[in-house]
Amino acid sequence: MTAPAWLEVLNETLDACRTHGRADLAERLRRRRDAPTGQTRLGVLGFPKQGKGYLLNAVLNAPVCAVGDAATPAVPTEIAYAPEPAATLVGRSRERIPVAVERLTGELGARPAGTLSRVEVGVPRELLSAGLVLVDTPPVGDPRSPRTAAALDFLAEADAVILVSDATAPLSAAELALARHVRTWCPHVVLALTKIDACPGWRAVAERDRAMLGEAGVDALVLPVSAVVRQAAAKAGDAELNARSGFPELLAWIAEQAARPHEQSRALLAAVGVRAAAAELVESLRDRVDAVAQDAGLGQAALLQRAQRRADDLRRQNTRWQNLLSDEITDLLSDAEYDLRERTRKIVNTIDRTFDEGDPAKVWDEFAPWLDNALAEAVDVNYTWLAERAEWIAQAVAACFGAQYDRALPDLRLDGSGLEYLDDVGRPKIEKFKIGQQAFTGLRGSYGGVLMFGLVTSLAGLPLINPISIGAGAAFAAKTIKDEGGMRLQRRQAVAKQAAQRHVDDVFLRFSKECRDAIRVVQRRLRDHFTGLAEELADELTHERETILAGTAERERRTGHIRREIDRLAALHQRAGELGTIAGRQQRRELSA
């Protein structure tokens, strides 16, 4: 069996939507294509507090929809014919939960948000018996709200739409925009002007709404209605009061939608959907053509000139970061050596003070651990400072690239400073002034005193060895021992100083070499890292210049392809309009027949 012409046009437009990344439009057309036959789906849309629920209840003469302060469902409520009143909650996973109609509002309020996809209600009304389904959509509001999305999403399946606005004020800009959007996707639209019983100036508002809709190009009737008057008329059985409610005209319009031939309705709705989707696609493609034309408007010469300026900037940038790196590394070499020298100088000063005041033979055991710890601390602090300075240099060089630097800094973690291999200070050879040495020194010194004073006293007739000469010998012995002890102490202090200072110099020479090697490692890592970045930027610039040179032909090819797509979509738009016109004529002929 040959597929109808409207289905062919719709499928071609649907493929175009997918091709150009408009999955939303493709989904609308798919739902329009796959909509069930034998039904007329009539939706009721409007902003909050406009009387949408009261309107539907009045249409059906049944309390089906939530009104007043009751919680409004965040999903559509589909109302169809059923021999007995019934309600079903349909979950996101398509599970169906029957509930009593009178408990529907409470059940909806107790359900967590996002768990339902729709609500189905069945009522025994003759108006619905021919396959009419009334859909109470969530109120339209914030464009980002799921309620708004659910309401507008219904347009993909709507055969007709009742827009609801109250008579307290003319249509707002948002309501007028909603009307334009609805009329773009649905051919049969009516504006129900509610609450006319509470607004004495409703006639002026109705005329203003008709004028605004006409100026906006929205073909829609404006039907003033009062749900309060309708319900009062139904309760009293008053036909005249019912006529004053405005509902006979609205019900007649609803009946007309339900009586439309289904096949012609599907063709007309498909044509309208294709035209709406094609118009949106054409608009987006024209924006792309304008963007391409704007790029082309810069001109190849201007683009090449801009690329040349970027090349000049890149050369200056390379010179700047290279000079900065060289200067900072030179400064770091000098500062690191000075820092280590300054720290060891303070240690040497402490060594001098220690051995100027103390005897190495007594203080060396306490002094040696202090010296090792002091040197280890000096080396560790110097190495830590070196690592921090290296990180600062890396950041300073990266700043030369500005916004073009979009990667992590290189890893500048240095190997350990080698503190674990630091030799302990060796104990120098410190000779002690032993008892035997002191006795020998005393005897040697006392000889001169005994001899000198013995000879002097011998002139007085005393023997050579007498108390005076012996006392003089003892004094000379004590003086000699003291002087010898002082000289030996000075030699021990000098030996200890030399040993400690030599150890400090050895540590300084070793670790100053390690610092220089570490700084050279930092320099090589930073040089290689930023040289690689500069080469990448240069390659990008070269590629950009090649792209500019080859871009004119590509732009022309791309623009030509987009223009051909626009022409194809325009042809689909025209074909859909012709099919819609034919379907509309056939529909009117069958309705009149």
Side-chain angles (χ1 to χ4, degrees), residues 193-205:
L193 189 66
T194 60
K195 304 181 184 180
I196 60 174
D197 57 287
C199 302
W202 64 266
R203 291 179 178 81
V205 173

Side-chain angles (χ1 to χ4, degrees), residues 413-464:
R413 287 178 296 177
L414 303 175
D415 296 333
S417 60
L419 289 176
E420 62 273 16
Y421 305 114
L422 181 65
D423 296 331
D424 295 338
V425 59
R427 185 183 184 89
K429 186 177 180 181
I430 302 175
E431 58 179 11
K432 295 183 179 180
F433 197 17
K434 299 179 180 179
I435 298 298
Q437 293 172 330
Q438 292 178 7
F440 179 77
T441 301
L443 287 175
R444 188 180 58 193
S446 65
Y447 172 77
V450 170
L451 182 61
M452 181 172 48
F453 279 90
L455 290 175
V456 172
T457 56
S458 65
L459 296 177
L462 296 175
L464 182 66

Side-chain angles (χ1 to χ4, degrees), residues 367-384:
F367 167 79
W370 171 87
L371 179 59
D372 291 335
N373 291 334
L375 288 172
E377 181 181 359
V379 171
D380 186 58
V381 172
N382 179 266
Y383 228 68
T384 302

Side-chain angles (χ1 to χ4, degrees), residues 341 344 347-348 351-352 355 364 367 371 375 422-429 494-510:
R341 172 66 71 183
T344 55
I347 295 174
V348 169
I351 292 171
D352 291 340
F355 293 120
W364 184 265
F367 167 79
L371 179 59
L375 288 172
L422 181 65
D423 296 331
D424 295 338
V425 59
R427 185 183 184 89
K429 186 177 180 181
V495 170
K497 283 182 181 180
Q498 290 174 0
Q501 291 173 359
R502 187 166 52 252
H503 182 68
V504 171
D505 289 340
D506 290 343
V507 171
F508 173 79
L509 289 175
R510 173 183 171 183

Side-chain angles (χ1 to χ4, degrees), residues 82 84-88 99-101 104 120-124:
E84 297 293 334
T88 303
V99 297
V101 174
L104 179 61
E120 297 179 356
V121 178
V123 290

Side-chain angles (χ1 to χ4, degrees), residues 557-573:
R557 185 194 67 78
R558 197 165 65 231
T559 302
H561 175 71
I562 295 175
R563 292 190 184 281
R564 286 192 295 273
E565 280 294 296
I566 291 175
D567 292 341
R568 185 169 74 91
L569 290 169
L572 288 174
H573 189 277

